[in-house]
Amino acid sequence: MAVKIVRLVRYNPWWKGEGWESEDPDLSRAGEVIPRKRITVNPGGVILLRGIRRAGKSFYLKTLVEELIRPGTDPRKIVYIPADRFSRKEVVSFIEELRRRHGELTVLLDEITYLRDWRLLLKALGEERATTVATGSNPVELKRESELLPGRGIEGNEYYFNPLNFREFARFLNPRLPEVAFTYDSPAADDLFPWFDELEGLFYGYILTGGFPEAVLEFKRKRKVSEKRYEEIIRLTLGEIAKSGKSEEIARELLEAIFRLKGNRVDYVTLARETGISHPTVREYLNTLESARLIYVLEAWDINRKRHAHRKEKKVVFQSSLIATALALYLGSDPVEFVEENIEWLVEHTVATHVIWSREEPIMREKHSFGGFYYDQNRECDLVVKRGGFFGIEVKYGRVKRKSYPFPTIYVSKDEVGEDTVPASLYLYGLEKSRRSI
């Protein structure tokens, strides 16, 4: 059957040879490459990258092309297919025709969840030992479907593709910063003290950008983030919710209700009353928003039973401060004023997100297996990590007031330092993403 391969040419400029980067719509527009963790693309393996829109997945695939070509791979054996532009039948035909002409391929399938029965396509490519890297911005579908692909070369090859964390952001803007890294429960930050002024200045910029690459590049050039960037993130992320079969209006109303909470505890019934929907629907949509990498829902721990107390109130945190700031703009606030007036809870959410990013891995170690918080009649600890025992992280971006908890706790401050206290900018700089988080 004849196939219109020419329709792929514009998306694969490297087929022409050297100098293709200037013709690529992603690489040429960026102007500058933000270093990201590299993955190993093993011949015959299948890799899944799942994450929120605008986190940089398409750009990342193009940098993989550069790495594959550099040691001598024939550029015609690398095919990039934006799956949102073609039908599944067309994609299959493209791959079959190119394999007939060039032999084994490296197939880069961007936004694969736009394809009908994409799971079966990945399964077939895995069985045929075709080297494949797939991305998707509908993590609801990616998570559900990827779990149905055992024994196809995917185990251990799934990654979360997150926005930049503060460490990546800071090292991009200031490469002179030291190579200091530690775990969430042992913040050995002494070597970072001389860099406090630089890191504190960068930290405010990170809160404005939320780690989204386009916002980061914009901030580097102009020292601000445009309203267009905030509007774009809301439009695209809500669009992904709609594509998963959910109501965009309900998702937006629920996000607005979460926004108004500013990190305070809440239960499903209260959220249902505020949004005018049933509490089972609230639970369902919170799961969707979390799978879409917009929020984390933290459950309270029952310390004695060493498990979550599902009937107690929850805390909901935004996975990126840019999402919260974009909602503020949508609701009529100035982004810079919003950040300045709400810095404390934005930092609290950012700390929670960074600690979770440092631990979570797709399938094997999801957030619910180790993350939560703690409260009783007199106390509340912002984040409590279960790892054998429990360990607490309490964010005090004003004056640090210590409380007695039934587990060891560190305090994340604005600028105070002590045996159990470390400034937020130093703490977050030291946290690296997990091995399965890009």
Side-chain angles (χ1 to χ4, degrees):
M1 182 182 70
V3 178
K4 295 181 179 180
I5 292 293
V6 291
R7 296 182 62 196
L8 283 181
V9 171
R10 61 179 296 196
Y11 302 110
N12 293 264
W14 48 90
W15 290 351
K16 296 180 181 179
E18 293 182 3
W20 63 270
E21 293 88 348
S22 63
E23 296 186 34
D24 182 83
D26 293 308
L27 296 183
S28 62
R29 186 173 64 247
E32 192 170 5
V33 177
I34 302 175
R36 303 293 291 259
K37 180 188 296 183
R38 307 320 297 170
I39 60 174
T40 300
V41 182
N42 295 315
V46 178
I47 293 174
L48 294 177
L49 308 177
R50 44 190 172 106
I52 192 171
R53 289 293 292 266
R54 287 296 189 260
K57 297 185 299 299
S58 298
F59 189 90
Y60 190 78
L61 290 183
K62 301 302 178 61
T63 62
L64 285 180
V65 173
E66 288 184 308
E67 291 184 5
L68 291 167
I69 291 176
R70 195 176 301 126
T73 301
D74 184 347
R76 292 173 297 178
K77 291 180 177 288
I78 305 169
V79 56
Y80 169 85
I81 305 175
D84 56 338
R85 308 293 176 88
F86 302 104
S87 69
R88 184 183 185 279
K89 182 178 179 181
E90 287 176 312
V91 169
V92 171
S93 297
F94 291 151
I95 295 171
E96 289 178 350
E97 179 62 19
L98 289 169
R99 293 181 78 178
R100 185 184 70 80
R101 290 173 176 271
H102 305 301
E104 291 305 312
L105 300 174
T106 295
V107 181
L108 308 177
L109 287 168
D110 204 5
E111 302 296 354
I112 191 174
T113 48
Y114 279 88
L115 299 179
R116 177 179 55 82
D117 293 331
W118 66 269
R119 172 178 62 88
L120 300 179
L121 173 58
L122 271 190
K123 178 180 178 182
L125 291 171
E127 290 174 340
E128 294 165 9
R129 303 296 296 167
T131 306
T132 307
V133 182
T135 77
S137 295
N138 187 341
V140 179
E141 288 300 310
L142 271 170
K143 180 177 180 179
R144 182 176 66 85
E145 297 288 357
S146 65
E147 291 169 347
L148 303 177
L149 288 166
R152 304 302 174 193
I154 296 178
E155 294 85 352
N157 288 335
E158 291 187 66
Y159 295 82
Y160 288 121
F161 201 101
N162 295 312
L164 302 175
N165 65 5
F166 178 59
R167 178 187 183 83
E168 294 165 326
F169 171 88
R171 289 183 64 79
F172 172 62
L173 268 65
N174 185 356
R176 294 178 54 246
L177 291 169
E179 290 269 7
V180 175
F182 43 72
T183 58
Y184 68 92
D185 55 349
S186 300
D190 285 15
D191 290 341
L192 293 177
F193 291 160
W195 299 89
F196 176 76
D197 288 344
E198 286 90 338
L199 288 170
E200 189 66 13
L202 290 170
F203 187 46
Y204 179 76
Y206 180 78
I207 296 295
L208 282 175
T209 68
F212 281 83
E214 290 173 324
V216 171
L217 290 171
E218 194 171 54
F219 179 81
K220 184 177 182 181
R221 292 192 302 267
K222 304 177 181 178
R223 282 299 185 260
K224 66 178 182 179
V225 179
S226 66
E227 291 190 358
K228 173 186 174 183
R229 200 66 60 203
Y230 293 117
E231 292 169 355
E232 182 180 62
I233 211 69
I234 287 295
R235 176 173 52 84
L236 290 174
T237 52
L238 288 177
E240 289 302 321
I241 297 297
K243 287 168 193 166
S244 70
K246 304 296 183 184
S247 164
E248 184 175 331
E249 181 179 353
I250 291 177
R252 185 174 61 251
E253 289 179 357
L254 192 52
L255 282 171
E256 290 176 19
I258 294 167
F259 173 84
R260 290 191 293 269
L261 285 170
K262 298 184 178 181
N264 290 317
R265 302 194 309 265
V266 72
D267 55 35
Y268 294 137
V269 174
T270 301
L271 281 175
R273 185 166 57 247
E274 288 199 19
T275 55
I277 57 180
S278 68
H279 72 268
T281 302
V282 167
R283 184 197 301 262
E284 177 187 351
Y285 272 75
L286 286 177
N287 288 337
T288 298
L289 293 170
E290 183 168 47
S291 296
R293 311 294 290 175
L294 291 169
I295 62 171
Y296 283 123
V297 178
L298 300 179
E299 293 201 75
W301 286 112
D302 183 326
I303 299 298
N304 294 326
R305 296 185 178 184
K306 296 185 177 181
R307 65 188 186 190
H308 287 122
H310 298 299
R311 294 182 179 275
K312 297 187 76 172
E313 293 176 315
K314 326 294 180 189
K315 287 183 68 173
V316 185
V317 301
F318 289 102
Q319 288 209 30
S320 168
S321 54
L322 186 137
I323 298 169
T325 309
L327 281 168
L329 175 65
Y330 176 80
L331 295 172
S333 297
D334 175 79
V336 174
E337 291 180 2
F338 165 75
V339 169
E340 291 175 349
E341 293 170 1
N342 295 276
I343 190 69
E344 290 189 23
W345 71 269
L346 290 174
V347 171
E348 179 186 328
H349 286 210
T350 302
V351 169
T353 291
H354 276 56
V355 173
I356 293 171
W357 283 353
S358 75
R359 295 279 299 150
E360 69 175 350
E361 298 181 12
I363 309 301
M364 298 306 296
R365 191 163 64 203
E366 302 278 3
K367 178 269 306 175
H368 62 265
S369 68
F370 65 85
F373 75 111
Y374 174 83
Y375 74 94
D376 56 27
Q377 290 182 341
N378 303 310
R379 302 165 294 182
E380 179 178 317
C381 188
D382 299 318
L383 181 68
V384 178
V385 177
K386 179 183 177 186
R387 189 180 181 182
F390 291 95
F391 188 89
I393 299 101
E394 178 78 358
V395 180
K396 294 293 185 184
Y397 209 63
R399 181 185 174 191
V400 175
K401 296 180 181 179
R402 290 166 178 78
K403 297 180 180 180
S404 175
Y405 292 106
F407 41 75
T409 304
I410 62 167
Y411 295 87
V412 179
S413 68
K414 177 174 174 55
D415 52 17
E416 291 186 41
V417 177
E419 183 179 357
D420 60 354
T421 307
V422 61
S425 57
L426 307 190
Y427 182 70
L428 295 181
Y429 180 84
L431 294 179
E432 296 180 298
K433 290 176 178 174
S434 76
R435 63 189 184 121
R436 294 297 175 192
S437 177
I438 297 175

